[in-house]
Amino acid sequence: MGKPVAEVHAVRISSEPAQLQALHPLLQRVQDAVGDVPALLAIAGDVGSTAPHPGQGNTAQLWEVLASVAAVDVAAARILEPHLDALHIHGQAGLPAPTGTWGVFAAEGPGMQLAAEAGHGVVLDGSKPWCSLAAVLDGAVVTAHLPDGQGRAAFAVDLKHPGVSCEDPDWTSRGLKEIPSGTVHFHQVPATPLQSAGWYHQRPGFAWGGMGVAACWFGGAVALARDFADSLTTAAERGREPDQLALAHLGEVDRLIGAVASTLARAAERIDAWDSDEPAGSSHWSEALRVRGTVAAAVERIQTVVTQNLGPGPLAFNDTYGKRMADLSLYIRQHHAMRDDSQLGALTFKGDREW
C-alpha cells in the first residue's frame, strides 16, 4: 500500500454538518502541507487571526478546528494548538495578540531551572526543557521561577533575541518527528510579565487549554476510526464481508467517538457559560482532568482496536496511517494516566464532584 490521497473531512463536536463545510479549505491546505513545518506554521498564523477564543461563546467550534486539523495530520495540530494557546493567554492577560508564530513552554526538568530576575525590566536566565520548534518560532509564553520563593510566573519572550540558544535535540522518535522538542537556554533575555505569580496555572484558561489538547487527541482517533471503517468497506467491495468481531469493534469505536464528542460538547458549553464572578472554590482543573482522562482512555482503546483489526500491513506500508498512529501515540503521552487520575481523585476526595 502506498500513500493514499485522502479526502479531508471535518470532525464534529456539536456544530451542524453544514457549518463544518467552512473548514474544508483549511483542511485542504493542511493536507497539502503535511510534513512541511514552515507551511504549517504559516497556516497556524493565518488560523490565529480568525479562530475563536475559549470561553467567548464558541469553544466547541475552536475545538472542532483543532480536532479537524488533527484528523488530517496530528503533527499539524501539534503545531497549531500551542500557537492558538499563546494567543489566548495574551488575551486572558489583557494584552494584544502578538505577531508571528508562538509556542508555550511551561515544562520543568530535573537539574535545570529558568529564573526571572528583576533589574531594568525583567530578564530570564537558565534553561527550559521540552521546547517544541523553538528554533523556528518567533516567540513563546514561558514560565519561570521568581526570586525569594515567590513561585512561578508566565512571561512573553522573543525567541529571536541573541540571548536565546536552542539545543539540537537527539530526536529519535518516529512520532511527531518533524516537531523536535529540545532544551532552550536563556541568557539575560528580556521578558514581558503576563500577570502575577501563580496566575498562569490558576486562571481558568489553563484548564481550557488542556482540554483543547484533548480535542486534538480526539481528532487523531477519529481519523484512525475512519481508516478502520474504510478498510472494512474496501474489503466488502472486494467480496470479503466483515465478520461479527470486526463489526463489534466498529460498533465499539462508534460508541466511544459519540461519547467523547458529547463529553467535549458538554465541557465547551460549561466553559462558555462560565461566570467570572463565580466562587473561587470551583475547580476548572478537575473538569479538565475528567475530560482529558476520558478522551485519553477512549483514544488509546480506539488505537488498540484499530491496530488489532488492521494488522501489521498498514503499519508497515501505509505512510499516512503509520504516521498517524506514531504521532498520536507520542502526543497522547501528554496525559499522565494514573498520575492525572490521582490528581483528580485528590480533588474528588476534597468534595470537588457532582455526584
Coordinates of all heavy atoms in Angstrom, one line a residue, residues 208-248:
W208 N -8.8 25.2 30.3 CA -9.4 25.2 29.0 C -8.4 24.8 27.9 O -8.7 24.1 27.0 CB -9.9 26.6 28.6 CG -10.9 27.1 29.6 CD1 -11.6 26.4 30.6 CD2 -11.4 28.5 29.8 NE1 -12.4 27.2 31.3 CE2 -12.3 28.5 30.8 CE3 -11.1 29.6 29.1 CZ2 -13.0 29.6 31.2 CZ3 -11.8 30.8 29.5 CH2 -12.7 30.8 30.5
G209 N -7.1 25.3 28.0 CA -6.1 24.9 27.1 C -5.8 23.4 27.1 O -5.6 22.7 26.1
G210 N -5.8 22.8 28.4 CA -5.6 21.4 28.5 C -6.7 20.6 27.8 O -6.4 19.5 27.2
M211 N -7.9 21.1 27.8 CA -9.0 20.4 27.1 C -8.9 20.6 25.6 O -9.3 19.7 24.8 CB -10.3 20.9 27.6 CG -10.6 20.4 29.1 SD -12.3 20.8 29.7 CE -11.9 22.4 30.5
G212 N -8.3 21.7 25.2 CA -8.1 21.9 23.7 C -7.1 20.8 23.2 O -7.2 20.3 22.1
V213 N -6.1 20.5 24.0 CA -5.1 19.4 23.6 C -5.9 18.1 23.5 O -5.7 17.3 22.5 CB -4.0 19.3 24.7 CG1 -3.2 18.0 24.4 CG2 -3.1 20.5 24.7
A214 N -6.8 17.8 24.4 CA -7.6 16.6 24.3 C -8.5 16.6 23.0 O -8.7 15.5 22.4 CB -8.5 16.5 25.5
A215 N -8.9 17.7 22.5 CA -9.6 17.8 21.3 C -8.8 17.4 20.1 O -9.2 16.7 19.2 CB -10.2 19.2 21.0
C216 N -7.5 17.7 20.2 CA -6.5 17.2 19.2 C -6.4 15.7 19.2 O -6.4 15.1 18.2 CB -5.2 17.9 19.4 SG -5.1 19.7 19.2
W217 N -6.2 15.2 20.4 CA -6.2 13.7 20.5 C -7.4 13.1 19.9 O -7.3 12.1 19.2 CB -6.1 13.3 22.0 CG -5.0 13.8 22.8 CD1 -3.8 14.3 22.3 CD2 -4.9 13.9 24.2 NE1 -3.0 14.7 23.4 CE2 -3.7 14.5 24.5 CE3 -5.8 13.6 25.2 CZ2 -3.3 14.7 25.9 CZ3 -5.4 13.9 26.6 CH2 -4.2 14.4 26.9
F218 N -8.6 13.6 20.2 CA -9.8 13.1 19.7 C -9.8 13.1 18.1 O -10.2 12.1 17.5 CB -11.0 14.0 20.2 CG -12.3 13.6 19.6 CD1 -12.8 12.3 19.7 CD2 -13.1 14.6 19.1 CE1 -14.1 12.0 19.2 CE2 -14.4 14.3 18.5 CZ -14.8 13.0 18.6
G219 N -9.4 14.2 17.5 CA -9.3 14.2 16.1 C -8.4 13.2 15.5 O -8.8 12.6 14.5
G220 N -7.3 12.9 16.1 CA -6.4 11.8 15.6 C -7.1 10.5 15.7 O -7.0 9.7 14.8
A221 N -7.8 10.3 16.8 CA -8.6 9.0 16.9 C -9.7 8.8 15.9 O -10.0 7.7 15.4 CB -9.1 8.8 18.3
V222 N -10.4 9.9 15.6 CA -11.4 9.9 14.6 C -10.8 9.5 13.3 O -11.4 8.7 12.5 CB -12.1 11.2 14.5 CG1 -13.1 11.3 13.3 CG2 -13.0 11.5 15.8
A223 N -9.7 10.0 12.9 CA -9.0 9.6 11.7 C -8.7 8.1 11.7 O -8.9 7.5 10.6 CB -7.8 10.5 11.5
L224 N -8.2 7.6 12.8 CA -8.0 6.1 12.8 C -9.3 5.3 12.7 O -9.3 4.3 12.0 CB -7.3 5.8 14.1 CG -5.8 6.2 14.3 CD1 -5.4 5.9 15.7 CD2 -4.9 5.6 13.3
A225 N -10.3 5.8 13.3 CA -11.6 5.1 13.1 C -12.1 5.2 11.7 O -12.6 4.2 11.2 CB -12.7 5.8 14.0
R226 N -11.8 6.3 11.0 CA -12.2 6.3 9.6 C -11.3 5.4 8.7 O -11.8 4.7 7.8 CB -12.0 7.8 9.1 CG -13.0 8.8 9.6 CD -12.7 10.2 9.3 NE -13.7 11.1 9.8 CZ -13.6 12.4 9.8 NH1 -12.4 13.0 9.5 NH2 -14.5 13.2 10.3
D227 N -10.1 5.3 9.1 CA -9.2 4.3 8.4 C -9.8 2.9 8.6 O -9.8 2.1 7.6 CB -7.8 4.3 9.0 CG -7.0 5.6 8.7 OD1 -7.3 6.2 7.7 OD2 -6.1 5.9 9.5
F228 N -10.2 2.5 9.8 CA -10.8 1.2 10.1 C -12.1 1.0 9.2 O -12.2 0.0 8.5 CB -11.1 1.1 11.6 CG -11.7 -0.2 12.0 CD1 -11.5 -1.4 11.4 CD2 -12.5 -0.2 13.2 CE1 -12.0 -2.6 11.8 CE2 -13.0 -1.4 13.6 CZ -12.8 -2.5 12.9
A229 N -13.0 2.0 9.3 CA -14.2 1.8 8.5 C -14.0 1.7 7.0 O -14.6 0.9 6.3 CB -15.2 3.0 8.9
D230 N -13.1 2.5 6.5 CA -12.8 2.5 5.1 C -12.2 1.1 4.7 O -12.5 0.6 3.6 CB -11.8 3.6 4.8 CG -12.4 5.0 4.8 OD1 -13.6 5.1 4.9 OD2 -11.6 6.0 4.8
S231 N -11.4 0.6 5.6 CA -10.8 -0.7 5.2 C -11.8 -1.8 5.2 O -11.8 -2.7 4.3 CB -9.7 -1.1 6.3 OG -10.3 -1.5 7.5
L232 N -12.8 -1.7 6.0 CA -13.9 -2.7 6.0 C -14.8 -2.5 4.7 O -15.2 -3.5 4.1 CB -14.8 -2.6 7.3 CG -14.2 -2.9 8.6 CD1 -15.2 -2.7 9.7 CD2 -13.6 -4.3 8.6
T233 N -15.0 -1.3 4.4 CA -15.8 -1.0 3.1 C -15.0 -1.5 1.9 O -15.6 -2.2 1.0 CB -16.0 0.5 3.0 OG1 -16.8 0.9 4.1 CG2 -16.8 0.8 1.7
T234 N -13.7 -1.3 1.8 CA -12.9 -1.7 0.7 C -12.9 -3.2 0.6 O -13.1 -3.8 -0.5 CB -11.5 -1.2 0.8 OG1 -11.5 0.2 0.8 CG2 -10.6 -1.7 -0.3
A235 N -12.8 -3.9 1.8 CA -12.8 -5.4 1.8 C -14.2 -5.9 1.3 O -14.2 -6.9 0.6 CB -12.5 -5.9 3.2
A236 N -15.3 -5.3 1.8 CA -16.6 -5.7 1.4 C -16.8 -5.5 -0.1 O -17.4 -6.4 -0.8 CB -17.7 -4.9 2.2
E237 N -16.3 -4.5 -0.7 CA -16.4 -4.2 -2.1 C -15.7 -5.3 -2.9 O -16.0 -5.6 -4.1 CB -15.9 -2.9 -2.5 CG -16.8 -1.7 -2.0 CD -16.1 -0.4 -2.1 OE1 -14.9 -0.3 -2.4 OE2 -16.9 0.7 -2.0
R238 N -14.7 -5.9 -2.3 CA -13.9 -7.0 -2.9 C -14.4 -8.4 -2.6 O -13.8 -9.4 -2.9 CB -12.4 -6.9 -2.5 CG -11.8 -5.6 -3.1 CD -10.4 -5.4 -2.5 NE -9.8 -4.2 -3.0 CZ -8.6 -3.7 -2.6 NH1 -7.9 -4.3 -1.6 NH2 -8.1 -2.6 -3.1
G239 N -15.6 -8.4 -1.9 CA -16.2 -9.7 -1.6 C -16.0 -10.3 -0.3 O -16.4 -11.4 0.0
R240 N -15.3 -9.5 0.6 CA -15.0 -10.1 1.9 C -15.8 -9.2 2.9 O -15.3 -8.2 3.4 CB -13.5 -10.1 2.2 CG -13.2 -10.8 3.5 CD -11.7 -11.0 3.7 NE -11.0 -9.7 4.2 CZ -10.2 -9.0 3.5 NH1 -9.9 -9.3 2.2 NH2 -9.7 -7.9 4.0
E241 N -16.9 -9.7 3.3 CA -17.7 -9.0 4.3 C -17.1 -9.1 5.7 O -16.5 -10.1 6.0 CB -19.2 -9.6 4.3 CG -20.0 -9.4 3.1 CD -20.3 -8.0 2.8 OE1 -20.5 -7.2 3.8 OE2 -20.4 -7.6 1.6
P242 N -17.3 -8.0 6.5 CA -16.7 -8.0 7.8 C -17.4 -9.1 8.7 O -18.6 -9.3 8.6 CB -17.0 -6.6 8.4 CG -18.2 -6.1 7.6 CD -18.0 -6.7 6.2
D243 N -16.6 -9.8 9.5 CA -17.2 -10.8 10.4 C -17.8 -10.1 11.7 O -17.7 -8.9 11.8 CB -16.2 -11.8 10.8 CG -14.9 -11.3 11.5 OD1 -15.0 -10.1 12.0 OD2 -13.9 -12.0 11.6
Q244 N -18.3 -10.9 12.5 CA -19.0 -10.4 13.7 C -18.1 -9.6 14.6 O -18.4 -8.6 15.2 CB -19.7 -11.5 14.4 CG -20.7 -11.0 15.5 CD -21.5 -12.1 16.1 OE1 -21.1 -13.3 16.1 NE2 -22.7 -11.8 16.6
L245 N -16.8 -10.1 14.7 CA -15.9 -9.5 15.6 C -15.5 -8.1 15.1 O -15.4 -7.1 15.8 CB -14.6 -10.3 15.7 CG -13.6 -9.8 16.7 CD1 -14.1 -9.7 18.1 CD2 -12.4 -10.8 16.7
A246 N -15.3 -8.0 13.8 CA -15.0 -6.7 13.2 C -16.1 -5.7 13.4 O -15.9 -4.5 13.7 CB -14.6 -6.8 11.7
L247 N -17.3 -6.2 13.2 CA -18.5 -5.3 13.4 C -18.7 -4.9 14.8 O -19.0 -3.7 15.1 CB -19.8 -6.0 12.9 CG -19.9 -6.2 11.4 CD1 -21.1 -7.1 11.0 CD2 -19.9 -4.9 10.6
A248 N -18.4 -5.8 15.7 CA -18.5 -5.4 17.2 C -17.4 -4.4 17.5 O -17.7 -3.4 18.2 CB -18.2 -6.7 18.0

